[in-house]
Amino acid sequence: MGCRRTDCLATPLSGLFEKLGSLVGSCPLYFFIIPVLLSAALSGGFLFLKDREDNDLERQFTPKNGPSKVTRAFVGENFPYNDTMFSEERQYNQSNFASIIAVSTDNSNILAKPAFEDILRLNNKILNITVDSGRLGFNDLCARTNGECVSNDILKIVSDKVAITYPGSSPDFFGSVLGGVITDPGGSVISAQAVKLFYYLGNQESSADGSKSWLRGFKALLSDEMGSEHTDVSYYTSKSKQEEIDSHTTDGFPLFFFTFVCAVTFSVISCLRLDNVRNKVWVAVFGVLSSALAALSSLGLLLYIGVPLVITVANSIFLILGIGLNNMFIMVSDWQHTNVADPVPKRMAHTYKEAVMSITITALTDVLKFFIGIKSDFPSVQSFCLYTSISIIFCYIYTITFFGAFLALNGRREASNRHWLTCMKIPSDNPDHSSKIYNICCVGGDYDKNTGAEKKQPASNFFKDYYGPFLIKPWVKGAVIFLYLAYLALSILGCFNIQQGTELYDLAADESHVTRFNQKDRQYFSDYGPSVMVIVNEMFPYWNKTKRDQLQGCLEEFKQLHFVEEKVYTSWLDSYLTYGQQRHLNLDDKDVFLKNLKDFFNVFPFLKQDLNLTGDAIYATRFFIQTVNISSANMEIKMLHDLKTAAGRCSVAPLSVYNREFIFMDQYDIVVSSTIKNVGVITTVMLVVSLLLIPNPVCSLWVTASIGSVTVGVTGFMSAWDVSLDSISMIIFTICIGFTVDFSAHMSYAFVSSKRQSPDDKAVDALSNLGYPILQGALSTILGVSVLASSNFHTFRTFFKLFFLVMFFGMVHGLVFIPVFLTITFCSDKDKSKSDQKDRDDEMPEAHTV
């Protein structure tokens, strides 16, 4: 039974590309010079580079409309800051602060001499930091409560030898400042291994510059004061996280440079020929240059029009380099299969007819995929997708113009039998009485006399004579199917173990002070996590005892959660009810309830910040719970989910939960769904494009299926390689999945376009023509990104791991799984005309490829 052909666009497009190839071959200089001039003009956009840089951590790497941002706006509107009554747990935005963690070097008591004396000396140095020529010190810039700087009370308590009950309760809560604590049966602290100190600065705009300068002074001091004989000190500031993101740009530049060098080196080596005329060294160099010009033009254009440049955009350079190299190897492979005696325009026409069609399939799917990605919830992903989609367009255009033009110019040199280096004409046969050195260095232009094409490389012969015939043996096909099922089973198993979330130190360099601080923080202070606001979002009759009891029942549910410390709880309502009970007030009466609030707040001024009281209505209130044992990103995910679930179960009033760190945790709800959506979009786009451009629906389905197969494989093996799923890995994951399309699409198109009769012969023919280019493309890209494995940044190492997995699995699918599956499931079209048969008979055996 025949299969219906679906290549409604392939035939007319192939004819169009054939004409374009002939035109490029006839007038190569125009197609060579215009892209260079265009790139030079667009490169002027880099003058705006500094203005367009935007690596703001919150703005770029958190969901645009995340629920916690909506809650923060509500908190800011209903509970504005009181600069005279600073309270850390009531901060809804990131305040300016500095912090240190001091750990005893010998695991002894950090609160005893001599370690504690070292801490006191360091604390005095910090408090004496001055900026602005000594005019501003900590006392001038600090956050204040009742006119006094917010201080580290733990130092005075220990110095005065006052007994400490751990963890204590608000306002004397010590769970966040003491770590590695040993207590007696009564809860009094016997010893501690670590102490954490905070230095809060005011939020006033008038002192913003002074605060920044003071934080720089703090960092400079602590860089030299990393500890002593008795203490090991780590430090952190409110600016540290952003500074680490910004440092990716400068520290990553050498890696990009080495990647480019590796790509050029590998491309040159893989295109090296012993024949002095057929040598493709310069073709390889200009192939890489074509990718570089595409990246330069796309970045310059978007910088001109004002698109933000985020650090994630740097990843697109690797993608464009990989796509460009893959295109180059396919173009060169097709060129080598043309008849060397034909004029250059005819050779270019044949090359473009076959190669550009395959390149168009992958370019079209990649562009559509990234354009759809512009709708992402993450601004950093939006910028990346926009830059990448425009880069792919330029890469495609420059491949068929700039690189194609140079291929034609190189073809003219070969047609004149000129040396690859000197461009001098040389003999094609060894002259009589010439030396061996002369024959090696000054003779060239040989070709296959049987086909009229260039001699195949040993690697291509390997795929034709050894690998292809071996792969189509029945027992080998059975082994491949078994191997695939094992691969799929392991991948699916790994998918169930994938981790979510980003550790803060994953954004920092390995030896960074941020990494040291956060590792110490996780080690000694994970027993007590963030303090969480529980917010009543609308007017509520707190004087109505029935409804009040129902609300308190909802709040009690929060305290019963396993990661909440029931005894550490701040409630203005409980305090007010106790106040009323002590004064025999009937707080079930609305007038009495509202009338006595003013006197209550005079006694407990901090609690006044927890109500939005306007007239005789309470529009919003908040309570505070203390989380415990939040020791990993996975625990953060579960905490946020359970808190929102508890809030949703309250029927008496709408509740929400908030902590400023929730802004970053919002990604957990979106990253998985976004990744699944991206893969679904890629798969759909690939299926549609394949059905339109690949002449067989079975091949189209296998190309589409390979996307899902590689996606499952990469996801499963991510867990084995300690890669978590977060907003950054999602970006890299989306980049990499595009490469799965390339290898499978190229091989499928070569298979279905082969003039051979049987599926087995088609597979061998496709592997003979495209096996080596696919291997070249995969290895060149892997080699290029391998330098990232040595990076000090987790982000770059994650990029390498995911890129390696995708390239490796994509290559295995293209060279092993897809050929075998096509031979098993492919059905021939028996309705072809006799003219098609005649074309096959006239076609040279080695002259048709993709």
Side-chain angles (χ1 to χ4, degrees):
M1 178 178 177
C3 289
R4 183 177 296 276
R5 294 172 66 88
T6 60
D7 55 332
C8 57
L9 294 178
T11 302
L13 280 178
S14 293
L16 180 64
F17 292 139
E18 185 176 14
K19 293 178 181 178
L20 176 61
S22 179
L23 181 62
V24 173
S26 301
C27 310
L29 285 177
Y30 294 104
F31 291 93
F32 184 84
I33 293 174
I34 291 175
V36 174
L37 295 178
L38 180 61
S39 297
L42 293 178
S43 65
F46 282 85
L47 295 173
F48 305 98
L49 180 62
K50 286 296 180 184
D51 297 331
R52 305 288 188 257
E53 280 187 332
D54 185 1
N55 290 318
D56 184 87
L57 193 59
E58 178 184 320
R59 184 164 54 248
Q60 294 295 340
F61 295 93
T62 61
K64 281 190 302 183
N65 300 312
S68 294
K69 289 183 178 178
V70 176
T71 305
R72 179 177 62 183
F74 180 86
V75 172
E77 180 182 350
N78 287 275
F79 311 108
Y81 288 140
N82 182 345
D83 291 333
T84 63
M85 301 292 290
F86 177 85
S87 171
E88 195 278 333
E89 67 179 353
R90 292 176 171 83
Q91 300 294 298
Y92 54 85
N93 272 324
Q94 180 68 70
S95 58
N96 288 322
F97 73 93
S99 179
I100 64 170
I101 293 177
V103 180
S104 60
T105 55
D106 57 358
N107 294 324
S108 61
N109 186 9
I110 194 74
L111 304 179
K113 295 179 181 180
F116 190 70
E117 291 179 338
D118 288 345
I119 296 173
L120 291 176
R121 281 193 293 269
L122 179 58
N123 178 67
N124 288 332
K125 288 182 179 181
I126 293 172
L127 296 179
N128 288 325
I129 295 173
T130 58
V131 296
D132 195 14
S133 302
R135 287 192 291 269
L136 292 176
F138 181 76
N139 286 336
D140 303 302
L141 301 169
C142 65
R144 296 180 180 276
T145 297
N146 297 323
E148 298 291 331
C149 286
V150 176
S151 60
N152 291 290
D153 293 336
I154 186 67
L155 298 180
K156 187 175 189 313
I157 291 172
V158 174
S159 297
D160 293 344
K161 298 185 168 73
V162 177
I164 303 172
T165 301
Y166 186 82
S169 58
S170 182
D172 297 321
F173 177 68
F174 300 106
S176 59
V177 296
L178 292 179
V181 175
I182 298 176
T183 61
D184 62 19
S188 296
V189 174
I190 298 175
S191 67
Q193 290 181 309
V195 63
K196 186 195 295 186
L197 305 181
F198 293 91
Y199 303 88
Y200 292 104
L201 305 178
N203 294 315
Q204 299 88 346
E205 291 186 9
S206 58
S207 61
D209 291 338
S211 296
K212 290 180 181 178
S213 298
W214 191 90
L215 290 175
R216 285 195 293 269
F218 172 88
K219 185 176 178 180
L221 172 66
L222 269 295
S223 296
D224 298 328
E225 296 277 351
M226 296 299 288
S228 64
E229 180 182 352
H230 309 291
T231 58
D232 177 32
V233 177
S234 307
Y235 69 95
Y236 182 82
T237 76
S238 52
K239 307 296 182 185
S240 293
K241 195 189 300 185
Q242 185 62 54
E243 289 171 353
E244 287 298 312
I245 289 292
D246 293 338
S247 69
H248 279 59
T249 305
T250 54
D251 292 355
F253 179 78
L255 297 175
F256 296 131
F257 174 76
F258 283 118
T259 295
F260 189 80
V261 170
C262 288
V264 172
T265 303
F266 181 85
S267 300
V268 167
I269 293 174
S270 61
C271 289
L272 194 63
R273 306 289 186 268
L274 296 178
D275 191 295
N276 289 303
V277 173
R278 309 299 174 198
N279 202 339
K280 301 293 191 294
V281 168
W282 293 116
V283 172
V285 171
F286 278 83
V288 177
L289 184 59
S290 176
S291 299
L293 290 178
L296 181 70
S297 298
S298 58
L299 266 64
L301 174 63
L302 294 176
L303 288 172
Y304 261 130
I305 63 179
V307 179
L309 183 68
V310 190
I311 183 61
T312 53
V313 173
N315 293 325
S316 67
I317 297 174
F318 295 97
L319 179 64
I320 299 307
L321 184 60
I323 291 175
L325 291 178
N326 197 30
N327 293 344
M328 178 193 74
F329 290 129
I330 291 174
M331 292 270 284
V332 170
S333 176
D334 264 288
W335 169 266
Q336 291 177 150
H337 286 83
T338 59
N339 195 314
V340 298
D342 288 339
V344 169
K346 185 175 181 180
R347 296 184 71 183
M348 290 295 295
H350 180 87
T351 300
Y352 271 50
K353 179 182 178 181
E354 304 299 337
V356 176
M357 191 66 219
S358 182
I359 293 171
T360 300
I361 296 173
T362 58
L364 184 58
T365 54
D366 286 341
V367 169
L368 290 175
K369 171 189 69 178
F370 285 112
F371 267 130
I372 294 171
I374 295 173
K375 289 291 189 179
S376 171
D377 295 303
F378 294 90
S380 58
V381 178
Q382 290 180 327
S383 294
F384 165 77
C385 287
L386 182 56
Y387 273 95
T388 302
S389 56
I390 300 300
S391 296
I392 293 172
I393 292 174
F394 273 104
C395 184
Y396 176 76
I397 293 172
Y398 285 1
T399 296
I400 62 178
T401 56
F402 176 80
F403 177 71
F406 185 81
L407 191 62
L409 291 171
N410 189 73
R412 290 184 178 183
R413 177 190 62 78
E414 292 183 9
S416 301
N417 220 67
R418 295 180 180 273
H419 196 279
W420 71 273
L421 182 61
T422 65
C423 284
M424 299 291 291
K425 283 191 174 183
I426 58 175
S428 57
D429 296 319
N430 296 335
D432 295 335
H433 310 299
S434 59
S435 65
K436 285 187 177 181
I437 295 179
Y438 180 87
N439 291 336
I440 292 173
C441 299
C442 301
V443 176
D446 196 11
Y447 62 95
D448 190 327
K449 302 301 189 298
N450 294 322
T451 65
E454 294 183 25
K455 287 186 175 181
K456 284 200 170 190
Q457 293 299 106
S460 296
N461 289 328
F462 167 78
F463 281 98
K464 177 185 177 182
D465 299 331
Y466 300 101
Y467 179 73
F470 173 78
L471 191 64
I472 62 175
K473 291 181 179 180
W475 71 269
V476 176
K477 290 182 182 180
V480 168
I481 293 173
F482 175 80
L483 178 64
Y484 178 75
L485 293 176
Y487 154 82
L488 207 57
L490 288 174
S491 300
I492 293 173
L493 181 63
C495 288
F496 289 103
N497 296 317
I498 190 71
Q499 302 294 311
Q500 266 190 269
T502 304
E503 297 288 358
L504 179 58
Y505 49 77
D506 285 345
L507 301 175
D510 294 340
E511 302 302 323
S512 165
H513 70 277
V514 175
T515 301
R516 294 183 71 250
F517 181 90
N518 283 283
Q519 287 174 342
K520 297 292 185 185
D521 195 37
R522 286 290 195 200
Q523 181 179 356
Y524 293 103
F525 297 96
S526 60
D527 288 348
Y528 291 90
S531 175
V532 177
M533 301 180 195
V534 180
I535 304 157
V536 181
N537 294 329
E538 63 179 28
M539 286 191 296
F540 187 84
Y542 295 92
W543 45 85
N544 184 317
K545 187 176 189 308
T546 301
K547 290 192 173 183
R548 185 175 67 224
D549 289 344
Q550 290 176 332
L551 176 62
Q552 289 185 303
C554 291
L555 297 174
E556 195 64 30
E557 278 196 46
F558 284 97
K559 292 193 283 184
Q560 297 305 315
L561 295 173
H562 71 277
F563 54 81
V564 173
E565 174 56 70
E566 183 177 3
K567 297 179 181 178
V568 183
Y569 174 66
T570 302
S571 169
W572 70 270
L573 183 58
D574 285 357
S575 298
Y576 190 36
L577 293 176
T578 301
Y579 173 88
Q581 187 178 15
Q582 292 172 347
R583 287 161 177 75
H584 308 290
L585 301 176
N586 180 18
L587 296 183
D588 296 338
D589 181 88
K590 177 179 179 180
D591 292 335
V592 175
F593 190 99
L594 295 173
K595 180 180 179 181
N596 287 277
L597 278 174
K598 182 178 180 180
D599 293 336
F600 169 69
F601 289 140
N602 288 333
V603 179
F604 301 99
F606 274 98
L607 298 180
K608 187 178 182 180
Q609 301 179 72
D610 298 335
L611 281 81
N612 179 2
L613 175 62
T614 305
D616 62 350
I618 301 176
Y619 287 94
T621 66
R622 62 181 172 184
F623 307 86
F624 296 89
I625 56 176
Q626 177 61 50
T627 59
V628 294
N629 299 322
I630 309 300
S631 57
S632 66
N634 279 335
M635 281 299 301
E636 291 175 347
I637 296 171
K638 181 167 178 54
M639 172 191 71
L640 188 59
H641 175 268
D642 289 357
L643 286 173
K644 289 183 177 181
T645 301
R649 282 199 297 262
C650 185
S651 59
V652 70
L655 303 180
S656 58
V657 292
Y658 180 75
N659 178 280
R660 57 182 176 271
E661 293 300 324
F662 289 1
I663 298 291
F664 298 95
M665 296 181 194
D666 277 345
Q667 63 170 296
Y668 302 148
D669 288 334
I670 296 175
V671 68
V672 174
S673 60
S674 294
T675 302
I676 294 173
K677 181 180 72 174
N678 288 338
V679 174
V681 167
I682 295 169
T683 304
T684 303
V685 168
M686 188 66 233
L687 178 60
V688 173
V689 174
S690 298
L691 289 172
L692 291 175
L693 298 181
I694 295 180
N696 188 284
V698 173
C699 292
S700 301
L701 291 174
W702 276 118
V703 171
T704 305
S706 70
I707 297 174
S709 178
V710 175
T711 299
V712 171
V714 172
T715 306
F717 281 83
M718 278 171 61
S719 60
W721 212 346
D722 195 28
V723 177
S724 299
L725 188 61
D726 54 39
S727 58
I728 294 175
S729 62
M730 182 187 72
I731 296 171
I732 302 170
F733 191 85
T734 304
I735 298 171
C736 298
I737 291 303
F739 277 103
T740 67
V741 177
D742 292 6
F743 297 141
S744 299
H746 292 320
M747 183 55 65
S748 298
Y749 189 80
F751 179 93
V752 76
S753 300
S754 172
K755 301 303 182 181
R756 303 304 172 94
Q757 291 292 323
S758 71
D760 285 351
D761 289 342
K762 283 177 175 289
V764 175
D765 192 40
L767 287 167
S768 172
N769 293 327
L770 276 191
Y772 185 46
I774 287 177
L775 185 64
Q776 284 177 304
L779 293 181
S780 63
T781 307
I782 290 174
L783 181 64
V785 300
S786 62
V787 296
L788 300 181
S790 61
S791 172
N792 288 327
F793 286 98
H794 172 83
T795 304
F796 288 132
R797 292 198 300 273
T798 298
F799 186 89
F800 162 73
K801 291 176 181 180
L802 287 179
F803 222 78
F804 176 85
L805 287 175
V806 168
M807 296 304 295
F808 179 75
F809 288 146
M811 180 180 66
V812 171
H813 276 70
L815 296 179
V816 182
F817 297 145
I818 291 294
V820 168
F821 294 154
L822 286 175
T823 61
I824 296 173
T825 60
F826 184 78
C827 47
S828 302
D829 187 353
K830 297 183 179 179
D831 299 326
K832 292 182 182 179
S833 66
K834 292 181 179 180
S835 61
D836 287 338
Q837 180 65 42
K838 183 178 183 302
D839 288 341
R840 270 200 309 272
D841 295 338
D842 294 340
E843 188 77 37
M844 288 185 301
E846 303 296 337
H848 194 97
T849 184
V850 179

